[in-house]
């Protein structure tokens, strides 16, 4: 499987290829700065110092980071923890000096910085007035009889924080024949942006298309019969109206602040209202007050040390009003929303069909304003200063946006993924939100796909590397990630003790973690993977149009709305991308930046955007293949019912095959069409053992190579026969590149079969490979090495061990272990509750070397919790942090009297847990985290073995 070594020396192993010094190999061995992981660098409650800033940045640089995202925020006291001390308030003069110091230090070290342009998230702060905050519609109503001069008494709708503004007073004649059991619009609260879609993150938008059957006479009124009352309410809530004869329903409609209208998780001193994300004036006022001065503070370092501006999660949830909405709606949709606002209040106007179409137009307008009045300004004004943006603009919370379009507008699309936790965001669909920014990057021509990664709620220093963080990272990579922003790296001044102050969530990382000195190999693994996954262009057979509605989100790759099935990949396209970026070349759908697809798949719905349908006609004329149902109606109320007639005419023409060189196919899945066209799956595998391993892949292509990343999330070793769609005309042979070690040691065993390259792959528990096709293939390839089966145990290093702990952290200076065992099973409190580094020492002899001539020898440590650095006879052999925890000892071993030193590192929880039973004056650790108590289960720790000598033929 793999050796855990410092691997730079294996560069020569790639030299059998004529282009050994290719850019691919240079990036593999020396990942460029763009490919080096970033720190989500929390300045928690502003409690940072110049010394702590410099230490963190120097340590990041030393361990291979490419930069950091400065994120002033708090949240330290959430979930029952203690609040970190308050440092300089965000944007204060003292804070800005620390910020300028940071940029100077980053520039000195060659690190790229991003800046969260506020404290916390939900962009805003103490200077934001209620008029600039997110808003929602509220109303009261009354039933009155007309035919006289009335003095209406309608109570003012309920406001939040004392904020309310009257907007309109509408009246309509009640329908006397309204059925008593008439059902409301289905999912009306979600459709009217009064309640968010569920689940909380990246929800499916199917409820927006669900509707009960219509019944005759069920409408409350007709749009043409809704009247707007002139005048304003008096102070006593009265309004004079000369009411025509009839039975009238009167609606007093206004706006108040949204249910989620404040900045979230900010440091002390920055509490205030969030910005209305649909209001250009609100964004401009914030920019001028806060962002522009911070850019000026950066001076010449803006665009150099300071490269990106950022905003974090958008969690104001649904909002459905902004001051310019009526004017913007009429400009964009071509009709006045006023008579249709009764639909927001739960009425049916004209019909269910027309009411739903209005709601579609209403939501779409809100989504358009989020881009035009917020993110476009953000990008435009950042670019003026040579800066880029990577906001988490795609939610993933259920806000009123076209998430793919928002992310595509970024310079670098960014979302999030979560590591495993026993109590929060259980299941992949609740943890991984990477397919969305990946598709946005692929479709809109961006190289980078960022994600705030390894977020958790529940664990504290308990996220283990090889069986939690690595498989989480690997899976995110197969969803499309290629630049991790580690959440969270908290700046902790020495005054806060060890392990120091922390955010209540996220995988805690900073130089105070026990394993920091041993961390570089894990970070090198991440950087190496990212360097490969930034190469070339993505390979996907299918483009899926996910609709033009709002809210709209892309889910997990395996949700598979395109119905491609296992072994194929797809990207998700917006309406904008179809209209402005997609064209046809040689029968393939192509994008300006080079990515392309064989098929365009439509959603399984009977409605479509009319502009999209018109564009589909052009694409089919030019030779595209479209897969999906024939639409029967348009989505918008604009132009209704003429737009339906046009959809019907175009649909009949296209689905009858009368529109040019291309094809339009219905009644078959994308997979069925691909197979019928002779397009085999891009990647498949057959397991050599019972059960189906959890293996995922992603594929990229350069002018030089086909690059596959294949990852096993199973915690057991797996052997498969892997099949790659690289054969025939490609003329390339596979090479196994090991991202754990940096080894790219030559051709692999393979054969050709039915249009695939077939090869055995051996995965360690949670193991991964890059399979690279670039060398010329041969008709009869030489046998490759079966890496797992070559290792044969020849002796066990058994018996007693001397183990040295650090007395500073409560451990004995030296203790004898008669056999390897978990520290937590020992009786000595100093061992049972120990956290940190301990060195195992033992002498041993090799077995008879006569039978081992020419063979490589390895030391297999068995089970290790969590990392181990190995020395043999004084020679360092590297850090083992994942199975098989094995190092090459050939060049360090002697026939007899070998001195073995294994320095093992455990994580912080056990020492913190042990301290909870001690008086505070005797405790060795200090932190604001209170979730680790005397009753918290201890983490298995230490060298558990068995330790064996192995040979490799």
């Amino acid at each position: 499987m793999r050796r855990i070594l410092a691997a730079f020396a294996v560069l020569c192993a790639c030299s059998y290829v004529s282009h050994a010094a290719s850019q691919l190999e240079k990036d593999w061995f020396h990942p460029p700065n763009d490919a080096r992981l970033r720190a989500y660098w929390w300045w928690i409650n502003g409690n940072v110092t110049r010394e702590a800033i410099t230490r963190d940045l120097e340590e990041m640089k030393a361990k291979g980071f490419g930069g950091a995202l400065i994120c002033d925020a708090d949240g330290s006291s959430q979930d029952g923890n203690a609040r970190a001390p308050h440092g300089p308030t965000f944007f204060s003069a003292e804070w800005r000096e620390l910020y300028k110091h940071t940029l100077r230090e980053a520039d000195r070290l060659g690190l790229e910085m991003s800046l969260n342009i506020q404290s916390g998230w939900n962009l805003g702060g103490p200077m934001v007035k209620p008029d600039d905050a997110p808003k929602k519609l509220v109303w009261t109503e009354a039933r009155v009889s007309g035919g006289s001069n009335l003095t209406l008494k309608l109570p003012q709708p309920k406001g939040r924080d004392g904020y309310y503004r009257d907007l309109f007073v509408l009246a309509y004649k009640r329908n006397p024949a309204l059925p008593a059991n008439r059902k409301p619009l289905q999912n009306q609260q979600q459709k009217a942006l009064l309640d968010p879609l569920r689940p909380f993150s990246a929800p499916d938008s199917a409820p927006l298309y669900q509707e009960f059957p219509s019944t005759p006479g069920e409408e409350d009124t007709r749009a043409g019969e809704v009247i707007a009352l002139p005048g304003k309410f008096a102070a006593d809530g009265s309004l004079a109206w000369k009411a025509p004869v009839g039975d009238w329903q009167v609606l007093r409609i206004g706006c108040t602040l949204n249910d989620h209208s404040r900045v979230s998780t900010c440091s002390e001193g920055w509490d205030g209202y969030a910005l209305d994300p649909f209001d250009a004036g609100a964004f401009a006022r914030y920019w001028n007050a806060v962002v522009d001065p911070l850019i000026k503070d950066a001076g010449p370092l803006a665009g150099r040390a300071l490269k990106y501006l950022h905003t974090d999660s958008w969690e104001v949830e649904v909002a459905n009003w902004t001051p310019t909405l009526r004017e913007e709606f009429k400009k964009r949709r071509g009709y006045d929303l006023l008579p249709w606002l009764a639909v927001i209040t739960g009425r049916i106007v004209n019909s269910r069909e027309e009411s739903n179409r209005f709601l579609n137009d209403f939501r779409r307008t809100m989504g358009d304003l989020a881009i035009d009045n917020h993110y476009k300004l953000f990008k435009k004004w950042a670019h003026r200063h040579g800066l880029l943006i990577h906001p988490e603009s795609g939610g993933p919370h259920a806000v009123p946006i076209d998430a793919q379009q928002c992310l595509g507008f970024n310079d670098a699309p960014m979302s999030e993924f979560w590591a495993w936790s026993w109590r929060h965001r259980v299941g992949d669909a609740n943890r991984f939100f990477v397919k969305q920014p990946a598709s946005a990057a692929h479709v809109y021509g961006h190289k980078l796909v960022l994600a705030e990664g390894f977020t958790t709620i529940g664990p504290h220093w308990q996220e283990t590397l090889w069986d939690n963080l690595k498989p989480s990272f690997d899976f995110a990579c197969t969803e499309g990630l290629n630049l991790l922003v580690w959440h969270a790296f908290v700046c902790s001044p020495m005054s806060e003790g060890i392990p120091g102050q922390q955010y209540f969530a996220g995988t805690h990382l900073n130089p105070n973690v026990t394993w920091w000195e041993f961390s570089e190999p894990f970070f090198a693994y991440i950087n190496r993977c990212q360097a490969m996954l930034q190469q070339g262009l993505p390979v996907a057979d299918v483009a899926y149009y996910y609709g033009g509605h709002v809210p709209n989100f892309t889910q997990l790759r395996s949700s598979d709305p395109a119905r491609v099935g296992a072994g194929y990949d797809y990207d998700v396209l917006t309406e904008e991308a179809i209209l402005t970026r997609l064209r046809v070349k040689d029968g393939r759908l192509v994008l300006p930046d080079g990515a392309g697809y064989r098929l365009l798949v439509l959603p399984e719905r009977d409605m479509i955007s009319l502009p999209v349908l018109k564009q589909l006609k052009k694409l089919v004329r030019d030779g595209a293949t479209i897969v999906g149902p024939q639409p029967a109606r348009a989505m918008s109320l604009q132009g209704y019912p003429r737009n339906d007639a046009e959809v019907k005419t175009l649909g009949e023409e296209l689905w009858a095959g009368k529109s040019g060189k291309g094809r339009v196919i219905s009644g078959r899945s994308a997979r069925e069409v691909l197979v019928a066209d002779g397009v085999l799956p891009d990647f498949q595998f057959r397991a050599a053992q019972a059960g189906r391993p959890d293996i995922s892949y992603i594929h990229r292509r350069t002018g030089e190579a086909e690059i596959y990343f294949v990852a096993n999330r199973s915690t057991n070793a797996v052997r498969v026969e892997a099949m790659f769609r690289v054969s025939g005309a490609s003329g390339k042979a596979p090479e196994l590149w090991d991202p754990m070690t940096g080894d790219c040691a030559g051709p692999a065993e393979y054969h050709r079969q039915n249009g695939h390259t077939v090869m055995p792959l051996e995965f360690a528990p949670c193991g991964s490979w890059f399979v690279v096709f670039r060398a010329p293939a041969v008709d009869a390839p030489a046998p490759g090495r079966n890496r797992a089966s070559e290792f044969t145990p020849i002796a066990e290093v058994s018996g007693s061990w001397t183990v040295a702990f650090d007395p500073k952290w409560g451990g004995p200076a030296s203790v004898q272990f008669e056999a390897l065992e978990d520290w937590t099973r020992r009786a000595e409190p100093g061992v049972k509750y120990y956290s940190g580094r301990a060195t195992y020492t033992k002498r041993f002899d090799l077995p008879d070397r006569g039978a081992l001539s020419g063979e490589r020898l390895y030391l297999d440590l068995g089970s290790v919790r969590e990392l181990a650095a190995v020395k043999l006879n004084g020679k360092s052999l590297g850090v083992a942090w994942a199975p098989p925890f094995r190092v090459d000892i050939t060049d360090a071993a002697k026939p007899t009297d070998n001195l073995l030193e294994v320095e093992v590192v455990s994580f912080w929880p056990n020492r913190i847990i042990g301290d909870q039973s001690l008086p505070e004056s005797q405790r060795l650790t200090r932190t604001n985290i209170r979730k680790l108590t005397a009753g918290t289960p201890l983490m298995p720790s230490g060298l558990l073995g068995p330790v064996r000598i192995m040979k490799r033929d």
Side-chain angles (χ1 to χ4, degrees), residues 712-729:
N712 166 39
R713 284 209 292 169
S714 308
T715 54
N716 54 286
V718 169
R719 178 183 297 181
V720 303
E721 185 178 58
M723 291 157 277
F724 301 89
R725 195 177 63 201
V726 180
S727 188

Side-chain angles (χ1 to χ4, degrees), residues 668 671-679:
R668 286 193 283 168
R671 186 182 189 89
E672 290 169 335
V673 174
L674 289 169
V675 170
D677 286 351
V679 180

Side-chain angles (χ1 to χ4, degrees), residues 634-712:
M635 295 174 62
S636 176
L637 187 59
Q638 185 176 13
Y640 176 81
R642 295 187 309 277
N643 56 1
D644 278 6
E646 195 167 357
V647 165
K648 183 178 180 181
T649 300
L650 282 171
E652 289 175 351
E653 179 182 341
L654 279 166
W655 268 258
K658 301 177 181 177
S659 293
K661 297 185 293 183
R663 300 178 294 168
V664 180
I665 301 170
S666 61
R668 286 193 283 168
S669 69
R671 186 182 189 89
E672 290 169 335
V673 174
L674 289 169
V675 170
D677 286 351
V679 180
L680 300 173
D682 194 23
F683 170 76
Q684 301 177 85
F685 66 90
R686 288 191 290 263
Q689 62 270 31
R692 184 169 178 82
D694 188 357
I695 292 176
S696 52
Y697 87 101
I698 196 165
H699 179 192
R700 295 186 72 88
R701 176 178 294 140
T702 71
E704 171 189 359
E706 305 287 337
I707 302 168
Y708 289 83
F709 178 64
V710 189
N712 166 39

Side-chain angles (χ1 to χ4, degrees), residues 443-444 573-582 591:
V443 171
Y444 285 90
L573 270 65
T574 62
E575 177 169 336
E576 178 188 57
I578 289 177
L579 296 179
T580 64
R581 296 185 60 79
L582 205 59
L591 294 162

Side-chain angles (χ1 to χ4, degrees), residues 889-909:
I889 63 171
T890 308
D891 298 330
K894 304 184 299 184
T896 61
D897 196 32
N898 289 280
L899 176 61
L900 175 63
E901 299 168 89
V902 182
E903 190 172 12
V904 175
V905 183
S906 69
F907 291 173
W908 274 122

Side-chain angles (χ1 to χ4, degrees), residues 413-526:
M414 180 171 175
S415 188
E416 64 186 51
F417 72 92
W418 296 61
W420 179 85
S421 167
W422 58 84
R423 56 165 277 203
H424 187 76
R425 289 193 177 270
V426 176
D428 288 350
N430 298 309
R431 291 176 51 201
F432 293 94
F433 306 100
V434 180
K435 184 63 174 172
Q436 185 163 275
S439 280
H442 301 166
V443 171
Y444 285 90
H446 303 302
K447 172 184 173 182
L448 301 180
V449 180
L450 285 75
E452 163 199 328
F454 300 150
T455 306
T456 57
I457 293 177
H460 291 284
W461 299 279
Q462 293 158 298
E463 302 92 336
T464 51
L465 300 187
W466 76 265
D467 53 359
N468 187 349
L469 300 189
K470 180 184 184 297
S472 297
F473 171 77
D474 290 350
F475 187 73
C477 286
T478 63
E479 295 281 302
L481 173 76
N482 63 22
L483 188 59
L484 169 66
V485 186
W486 187 306
H487 184 252
F489 192 119
V490 173
C491 185
S492 184
M494 294 306 294
S495 59
E496 302 311 309
I498 302 290
Q501 63 186 17
Q502 287 295 339
Y503 180 48
F504 90 102
T507 296
H508 305 323
L509 180 71
N510 61 21
N512 291 349
V513 297
T514 58
W515 57 283
W516 182 257
E517 292 306 315
F518 292 172
S519 63
E520 193 168 357
F522 183 42
F523 300 153
Y525 170 82
I526 291 171

